Amino acid sequence: RQVPEFGNACGTIGCLHVCLNIEHWISSNSPMQSFRDKTIACTPEERGKILISIKELKSQSDISAESSQAQTVCPPRDADDLDHHFVGFVSSKGHLFELDGTKYSPIDHGTTSPKTFADDVWHIIKSN
């Protein structure tokens, strides 16, 4: 969970959701693995607070957030105001999971495969 002290980190949080759920992708001595090891049993709030202490991740997040390439315009909405928000999707053990920082846990959308993954995600996004 993003904590106010972290600053503009919604993209970082979205990336971490995805990267940390692809276990074979993370290097064993990386800052991400260190974060994962320290927070595996923590609450989302505790994870957000610990994330601030991982200097390599915090500094890269700050650099990215300040980059002109990272600036986007939030499109008009016909619902409640929503600032920029990231949601990630991963496939794990043949199931498609939605990783949304506003939810307490991943959402299992059922089965998927490498061949159907992109289409399956598109249908979820389109229906919401």
Side-chain angles (χ1 to χ4, degrees):
R1 176 173 302 231
Q2 185 172 340
V3 294
E5 300 85 7
F6 201 94
N8 187 10
C10 52
T12 298
I13 302 299
C15 288
L16 283 173
H17 272 291
V18 172
C19 293
L20 293 173
N21 282 281
I22 306 175
E23 294 179 28
H24 66 276
W25 186 82
I26 303 171
S27 300
S28 60
N29 292 327
S30 69
M32 275 200 250
Q33 185 61 48
S34 173
F35 176 73
R36 188 175 198 282
D37 292 344
K38 287 179 181 179
T39 62
I40 195 76
C42 293
T43 66
E45 184 74 23
E46 292 167 333
R47 287 183 185 130
K49 290 179 180 176
I50 292 170
L51 182 59
I52 296 169
S53 71
I54 310 288
K55 292 179 184 172
E56 299 91 343
L57 296 176
K58 174 75 168 99
S59 65
Q60 288 303 310
S61 176
D62 290 345
I63 290 167
S64 296
E66 293 169 5
S67 162
S68 62
Q69 296 163 332
Q71 306 311 309
T72 59
V73 176
C74 196
R77 293 175 41 88
D78 60 354
D80 294 339
D81 286 343
L82 175 69
D83 203 355
H84 298 68
H85 181 68
F86 290 83
V87 175
F89 294 89
V90 295
S91 174
S92 179
K93 300 177 182 172
H95 277 250
L96 174 58
F97 290 93
E98 179 179 344
L99 307 171
D100 182 339
T102 65
K103 309 289 191 267
Y104 189 74
S105 63
I107 301 166
D108 184 346
H109 286 285
T111 59
T112 192
S113 71
K115 185 176 180 177
T116 65
F117 179 79
D119 282 339
D120 294 339
V121 169
W122 182 84
H123 286 292
I124 292 165
I125 293 169
K126 187 79 172 159
S127 69
N128 290 309

PDB file of all heavy atoms in Angstrom, residues 80-93:
ATOM      1  N   ASP A  80     -16.803   9.154  -9.677  1.00  0.00           N
ATOM      2  CA  ASP A  80     -16.042   9.855  -8.645  1.00  0.00           C
ATOM      3  C   ASP A  80     -14.654  10.195  -9.162  1.00  0.00           C
ATOM      4  O   ASP A  80     -14.080   9.467  -9.983  1.00  0.00           O
ATOM      5  CB  ASP A  80     -15.911   8.981  -7.392  1.00  0.00           C
ATOM      6  CG  ASP A  80     -17.253   8.751  -6.712  1.00  0.00           C
ATOM      7  OD1 ASP A  80     -18.177   9.564  -6.949  1.00  0.00           O
ATOM      8  OD2 ASP A  80     -17.367   7.778  -5.964  1.00  0.00           O
ATOM      9  N   ASP A  81     -14.094  11.301  -8.657  1.00  0.00           N
ATOM     10  CA  ASP A  81     -12.739  11.677  -9.027  1.00  0.00           C
ATOM     11  C   ASP A  81     -11.774  10.557  -8.682  1.00  0.00           C
ATOM     12  O   ASP A  81     -11.882   9.916  -7.639  1.00  0.00           O
ATOM     13  CB  ASP A  81     -12.304  12.949  -8.292  1.00  0.00           C
ATOM     14  CG  ASP A  81     -12.975  14.188  -8.852  1.00  0.00           C
ATOM     15  OD1 ASP A  81     -13.511  14.118  -9.978  1.00  0.00           O
ATOM     16  OD2 ASP A  81     -12.952  15.223  -8.165  1.00  0.00           O
ATOM     17  N   LEU A  82     -10.828  10.330  -9.572  1.00  0.00           N
ATOM     18  CA  LEU A  82      -9.812   9.318  -9.367  1.00  0.00           C
ATOM     19  C   LEU A  82      -8.514   9.854  -9.914  1.00  0.00           C
ATOM     20  O   LEU A  82      -8.433  10.226 -11.088  1.00  0.00           O
ATOM     21  CB  LEU A  82     -10.183   8.014 -10.102  1.00  0.00           C
ATOM     22  CG  LEU A  82      -9.149   6.901 -10.057  1.00  0.00           C
ATOM     23  CD1 LEU A  82      -9.040   6.351  -8.631  1.00  0.00           C
ATOM     24  CD2 LEU A  82      -9.527   5.799 -11.023  1.00  0.00           C
ATOM     25  N   ASP A  83      -7.515   9.920  -9.058  1.00  0.00           N
ATOM     26  CA  ASP A  83      -6.207  10.316  -9.540  1.00  0.00           C
ATOM     27  C   ASP A  83      -5.640   9.114 -10.307  1.00  0.00           C
ATOM     28  O   ASP A  83      -6.269   8.082 -10.402  1.00  0.00           O
ATOM     29  CB  ASP A  83      -5.310  10.696  -8.354  1.00  0.00           C
ATOM     30  CG  ASP A  83      -4.173  11.606  -8.755  1.00  0.00           C
ATOM     31  OD1 ASP A  83      -4.017  11.880  -9.961  1.00  0.00           O
ATOM     32  OD2 ASP A  83      -3.431  12.038  -7.862  1.00  0.00           O
ATOM     33  N   HIS A  84      -4.484   9.243 -10.836  1.00  0.00           N
ATOM     34  CA  HIS A  84      -3.871   8.160 -11.598  1.00  0.00           C
ATOM     35  C   HIS A  84      -3.810   6.898 -10.744  1.00  0.00           C
ATOM     36  O   HIS A  84      -3.542   6.964  -9.552  1.00  0.00           O
ATOM     37  CB  HIS A  84      -2.481   8.576 -12.042  1.00  0.00           C
ATOM     38  CG  HIS A  84      -2.507   9.772 -12.938  1.00  0.00           C
ATOM     39  ND1 HIS A  84      -2.865  11.022 -12.482  1.00  0.00           N
ATOM     40  CD2 HIS A  84      -2.250   9.902 -14.247  1.00  0.00           C
ATOM     41  CE1 HIS A  84      -2.813  11.872 -13.487  1.00  0.00           C
ATOM     42  NE2 HIS A  84      -2.438  11.224 -14.562  1.00  0.00           N
ATOM     43  N   HIS A  85      -4.033   5.751 -11.358  1.00  0.00           N
ATOM     44  CA  HIS A  85      -4.110   4.490 -10.626  1.00  0.00           C
ATOM     45  C   HIS A  85      -3.591   3.380 -11.516  1.00  0.00           C
ATOM     46  O   HIS A  85      -3.876   3.347 -12.707  1.00  0.00           O
ATOM     47  CB  HIS A  85      -5.563   4.233 -10.213  1.00  0.00           C
ATOM     48  CG  HIS A  85      -5.738   2.979  -9.427  1.00  0.00           C
ATOM     49  ND1 HIS A  85      -5.227   2.829  -8.152  1.00  0.00           N
ATOM     50  CD2 HIS A  85      -6.351   1.820  -9.725  1.00  0.00           C
ATOM     51  CE1 HIS A  85      -5.540   1.627  -7.707  1.00  0.00           C
ATOM     52  NE2 HIS A  85      -6.221   1.001  -8.646  1.00  0.00           N
ATOM     53  N   PHE A  86      -2.819   2.475 -10.944  1.00  0.00           N
ATOM     54  CA  PHE A  86      -2.255   1.365 -11.701  1.00  0.00           C
ATOM     55  C   PHE A  86      -2.786   0.049 -11.178  1.00  0.00           C
ATOM     56  O   PHE A  86      -2.876  -0.155  -9.966  1.00  0.00           O
ATOM     57  CB  PHE A  86      -0.727   1.358 -11.584  1.00  0.00           C
ATOM     58  CG  PHE A  86      -0.079   2.481 -12.314  1.00  0.00           C
ATOM     59  CD1 PHE A  86       0.025   3.734 -11.748  1.00  0.00           C
ATOM     60  CD2 PHE A  86       0.417   2.291 -13.596  1.00  0.00           C
ATOM     61  CE1 PHE A  86       0.619   4.779 -12.430  1.00  0.00           C
ATOM     62  CE2 PHE A  86       1.014   3.329 -14.286  1.00  0.00           C
ATOM     63  CZ  PHE A  86       1.113   4.573 -13.701  1.00  0.00           C
ATOM     64  N   VAL A  87      -3.110  -0.835 -12.093  1.00  0.00           N
ATOM     65  CA  VAL A  87      -3.530  -2.192 -11.775  1.00  0.00           C
ATOM     66  C   VAL A  87      -2.673  -3.109 -12.631  1.00  0.00           C
ATOM     67  O   VAL A  87      -2.417  -2.821 -13.801  1.00  0.00           O
ATOM     68  CB  VAL A  87      -5.026  -2.401 -12.103  1.00  0.00           C
ATOM     69  CG1 VAL A  87      -5.430  -3.844 -11.886  1.00  0.00           C
ATOM     70  CG2 VAL A  87      -5.895  -1.467 -11.274  1.00  0.00           C
ATOM     71  N   GLY A  88      -2.199  -4.198 -12.053  1.00  0.00           N
ATOM     72  CA  GLY A  88      -1.384  -5.152 -12.803  1.00  0.00           C
ATOM     73  C   GLY A  88      -2.093  -6.488 -12.908  1.00  0.00           C
ATOM     74  O   GLY A  88      -2.982  -6.809 -12.103  1.00  0.00           O
ATOM     75  N   PHE A  89      -1.698  -7.260 -13.891  1.00  0.00           N
ATOM     76  CA  PHE A  89      -2.249  -8.602 -14.090  1.00  0.00           C
ATOM     77  C   PHE A  89      -1.095  -9.579 -14.239  1.00  0.00           C
ATOM     78  O   PHE A  89      -0.113  -9.283 -14.929  1.00  0.00           O
ATOM     79  CB  PHE A  89      -3.122  -8.648 -15.360  1.00  0.00           C
ATOM     80  CG  PHE A  89      -4.365  -7.823 -15.260  1.00  0.00           C
ATOM     81  CD1 PHE A  89      -4.366  -6.496 -15.638  1.00  0.00           C
ATOM     82  CD2 PHE A  89      -5.543  -8.367 -14.765  1.00  0.00           C
ATOM     83  CE1 PHE A  89      -5.505  -5.719 -15.547  1.00  0.00           C
ATOM     84  CE2 PHE A  89      -6.690  -7.596 -14.665  1.00  0.00           C
ATOM     85  CZ  PHE A  89      -6.675  -6.272 -15.057  1.00  0.00           C
ATOM     86  N   VAL A  90      -1.198 -10.725 -13.581  1.00  0.00           N
ATOM     87  CA  VAL A  90      -0.189 -11.770 -13.701  1.00  0.00           C
ATOM     88  C   VAL A  90      -0.882 -13.116 -13.845  1.00  0.00           C
ATOM     89  O   VAL A  90      -2.027 -13.295 -13.421  1.00  0.00           O
ATOM     90  CB  VAL A  90       0.773 -11.821 -12.488  1.00  0.00           C
ATOM     91  CG1 VAL A  90       1.598 -10.557 -12.387  1.00  0.00           C
ATOM     92  CG2 VAL A  90       0.037 -12.088 -11.199  1.00  0.00           C
ATOM     93  N   SER A  91      -0.149 -14.027 -14.454  1.00  0.00           N
ATOM     94  CA  SER A  91      -0.606 -15.403 -14.542  1.00  0.00           C
ATOM     95  C   SER A  91       0.222 -16.211 -13.552  1.00  0.00           C
ATOM     96  O   SER A  91       1.450 -16.136 -13.546  1.00  0.00           O
ATOM     97  CB  SER A  91      -0.400 -15.936 -15.956  1.00  0.00           C
ATOM     98  OG  SER A  91      -0.724 -17.305 -16.013  1.00  0.00           O
ATOM     99  N   SER A  92      -0.455 -16.977 -12.717  1.00  0.00           N
ATOM    100  CA  SER A  92       0.231 -17.829 -11.757  1.00  0.00           C
ATOM    101  C   SER A  92      -0.494 -19.159 -11.675  1.00  0.00           C
ATOM    102  O   SER A  92      -1.702 -19.198 -11.418  1.00  0.00           O
ATOM    103  CB  SER A  92       0.247 -17.153 -10.379  1.00  0.00           C
ATOM    104  OG  SER A  92       0.889 -17.976  -9.439  1.00  0.00           O
ATOM    105  N   LYS A  93       0.245 -20.217 -11.946  1.00  0.00           N
ATOM    106  CA  LYS A  93      -0.299 -21.576 -11.877  1.00  0.00           C
ATOM    107  C   LYS A  93      -1.572 -21.717 -12.702  1.00  0.00           C
ATOM    108  O   LYS A  93      -2.538 -22.346 -12.290  1.00  0.00           O
ATOM    109  CB  LYS A  93      -0.521 -21.994 -10.434  1.00  0.00           C
ATOM    110  CG  LYS A  93       0.772 -21.990  -9.634  1.00  0.00           C
ATOM    111  CD  LYS A  93       0.555 -22.342  -8.194  1.00  0.00           C
ATOM    112  CE  LYS A  93       1.897 -22.251  -7.479  1.00  0.00           C
ATOM    113  NZ  LYS A  93       1.784 -22.382  -6.050  1.00  0.00           N
TER     114      LYS A  93
END
